[in-house]
Amino acid sequence: MATDRREAPDPPLFESNEPSPPLAEIREGIARAKARLGDRVVILAHHYQGDDVIESADFVGDSLKLSHQAAHRSAAGYIVFCGVRFMAETAEVLSSPDQTVFLPNPAAGCPLADMAGLQQVRLCWEALRSLWDDGIAPVTYINSSAELKAFCGRNGGTVCTSSNAGTVMRWAFEAGRRVLFFPDEHLGRNTGVSLGLPTKAICVWDPEKEALLGDYDQARLILWNGFCPVHGNFSPRHVEMARKRYPGVRVIVHPECPHEVVRSADDAGSTEHIIECIHSSEPGSRWAVGTDIRLVRRLARQQPEKEVFSLAESVPPCLNMGKIKPLSLLRTLEGLLEGEAVARVRVRPETAKWARVALERMLAITRTRR
């Protein structure tokens, strides 16, 4: 079954032929709506959102951190998640029964998450189980649908983030199991290499060819052939050019970048890791950062005593993150005031149950292996 990797057009839910109000007017509307809603609402914004959305957020962070803040640190009944769909789904899975989650623009999907569908993963799973008698642990990156998280929960697997992927993968290997890792090939490969896996032990499942690429006799880690359209665009040439142009520069990249990029960088880690490294660095330090340019520019503005710039200005930001606009946020808040469930995110109870099992298993693994 082939995967269509093209982005779908925006749905018309928040589109109009009428001109958008001035940003100042939208900001005032958001402030008024927040004041009227009070502690009934919490607004979450991912690091890759634009500043005009970030400024209205109560919490800013990565997807899992935000979901926990909403579910465990906020009594708000309404959770408005300014991110992409899989993030809002995760918040819905982890939220309490009296909380509801909203995504201001339902068109804000994730091409990486969409590269692995449930039926495709099931087909791969059955094919791999026919090859080996011993166990296989399904591990999905958090950048995936609730359905895939539930699949892992049902089949003894778990979820991982970019910060704990190594811990989770080591857990599976120590249990004597192979790992099926989806949907991000680059994060999986970078994690496997960091754990010392030889090249022959890493194979790739191609969902379009429905075939395993590599030596299955040697395979310990099977990667899904998926990628992030933003991080996948960085190249070793970008690293080389940064070092030539900026002597003494430190290159830090996200592990969703191709392995050749991670190998040639000085450091690689999650969004939170990148932020912490730059914040804790010495004044006058110089950083080339391989991640979404909106975050990079924000870090540069926040720390003018350091030189912080994108590893490649030519790499565009995440288009789907950009689909959350101040106007769509305002309309969501106004809908809540009017008692309308505008852009509510729903996960079927059975799916949510098993997705929560996978997420809680991940948290337990991480706690016991610190």
Side-chain angles (χ1 to χ4, degrees):
M1 181 177 178
T3 304
D4 186 353
R5 301 190 177 189
R6 297 171 295 179
E7 290 187 38
D10 290 358
L13 181 60
F14 294 125
E15 294 182 355
S16 170
N17 292 327
E18 299 179 5
S20 175
L23 181 57
E25 184 178 323
I26 296 172
R27 283 171 168 155
E28 290 174 3
I30 291 173
R32 285 195 302 270
K34 286 186 67 177
R36 289 180 61 190
L37 287 164
D39 58 8
R40 290 181 291 161
V41 67
V42 61
I43 300 175
L44 313 178
H46 190 271
H47 288 300
Y48 297 162
Q49 285 294 313
D51 288 346
D52 53 3
V53 172
I54 291 278
E55 66 187 14
S56 298
D58 298 301
F59 296 105
V60 180
D62 62 23
S63 58
L64 187 62
K65 177 181 177 181
L66 289 173
S67 296
H68 274 286
Q69 284 174 323
H72 303 295
R73 293 180 56 189
S74 172
Y78 303 134
I79 300 170
V80 179
F81 208 126
C82 298
V84 294
R85 173 158 291 275
F86 78 80
M87 299 178 182
E89 284 185 344
T90 302
E92 168 71 3
V93 167
L94 293 174
S95 65
S96 62
D98 56 349
Q99 291 178 310
T100 50
V101 179
F102 300 85
L103 179 66
N105 189 342
C110 173
L112 169 60
D114 292 344
M115 287 180 193
L118 179 59
Q119 294 306 317
Q120 292 174 304
V121 170
R122 282 175 174 165
L123 185 152
C124 170
W125 178 249
E126 293 304 324
L128 296 182
R129 289 178 64 182
S130 71
L131 289 176
W132 298 300
D133 294 331
D134 55 343
I136 306 170
V139 176
T140 188
Y141 187 25
I142 197 164
N143 297 36
S144 60
S145 69
E147 287 184 331
L148 290 189
K149 294 179 177 71
F151 175 87
C152 291
R154 287 189 183 96
N155 290 283
T158 187
V159 183
C160 77
T161 66
S162 53
S163 60
N164 68 16
T167 300
V168 169
M169 204 175 283
R170 192 179 297 111
W171 161 81
F173 289 142
E174 288 176 0
R177 298 195 287 178
R178 291 178 171 86
V179 172
L180 168 61
F181 186 91
F182 48 87
D184 193 307
E185 177 181 346
H186 298 316
L187 175 61
R189 186 179 305 280
N190 289 321
T191 304
V193 170
S194 72
L195 294 177
L197 287 183
T199 301
K200 287 185 178 181
I202 303 175
C203 294
V204 175
W205 176 267
D206 188 328
E208 296 183 357
K209 296 179 180 178
E210 298 181 356
L212 183 65
L213 310 179
D215 185 348
Y216 67 84
D217 286 330
Q218 302 283 335
R220 297 293 299 164
L221 173 61
I222 299 89
L223 306 175
W224 193 266
N225 185 20
F227 61 93
C228 168
V230 175
H231 294 110
N233 267 320
F234 291 102
S235 73
R237 176 65 176 161
H238 293 140
V239 178
E240 179 184 348
M241 291 171 64
R243 294 197 191 284
K244 285 183 178 179
R245 188 173 179 182
Y246 303 99
V249 69
R250 286 187 58 80
V251 178
I252 187 168
V253 302
H254 196 281
E256 289 177 16
C257 292
H259 178 61
E260 294 77 12
V261 177
V262 170
R263 185 174 57 188
S264 59
D266 296 297
D267 196 1
S270 67
T271 305
E272 297 286 350
H273 175 77
I274 290 172
I275 293 170
E276 174 58 28
C277 280
I278 295 175
H279 272 292
S280 62
S281 63
E282 294 293 324
S285 57
R286 177 177 280 178
W287 294 89
V289 187
T291 192
D292 192 286
I293 196 167
R294 281 175 291 234
L295 172 60
V296 179
R297 289 173 176 169
R298 187 175 303 121
L299 288 170
R301 288 192 298 272
Q302 291 172 347
Q303 301 181 80
E305 75 282 5
K306 302 165 190 176
E307 191 173 356
V308 182
F309 53 90
S310 174
L311 179 61
E313 291 276 343
S314 60
V315 173
C318 175
L319 296 177
N320 281 273
M321 285 286 185
K323 290 176 181 177
I324 305 296
K325 306 288 188 184
L327 182 57
S328 56
L329 172 58
L330 173 60
R331 289 181 174 174
T332 299
L333 297 176
E334 289 176 337
L336 296 179
L337 286 170
E338 295 167 5
E340 298 178 3
V342 179
R344 181 177 175 181
V345 175
R346 299 176 187 268
V347 178
R348 289 183 300 176
E350 187 70 6
T351 300
K353 181 184 83 169
W354 286 107
R356 193 178 187 110
V357 166
L359 287 162
E360 290 179 346
R361 186 174 288 145
M362 174 191 72
L363 295 174
I365 292 166
T366 304
R367 281 195 302 268
T368 58
R369 291 168 176 264
R370 283 179 178 171

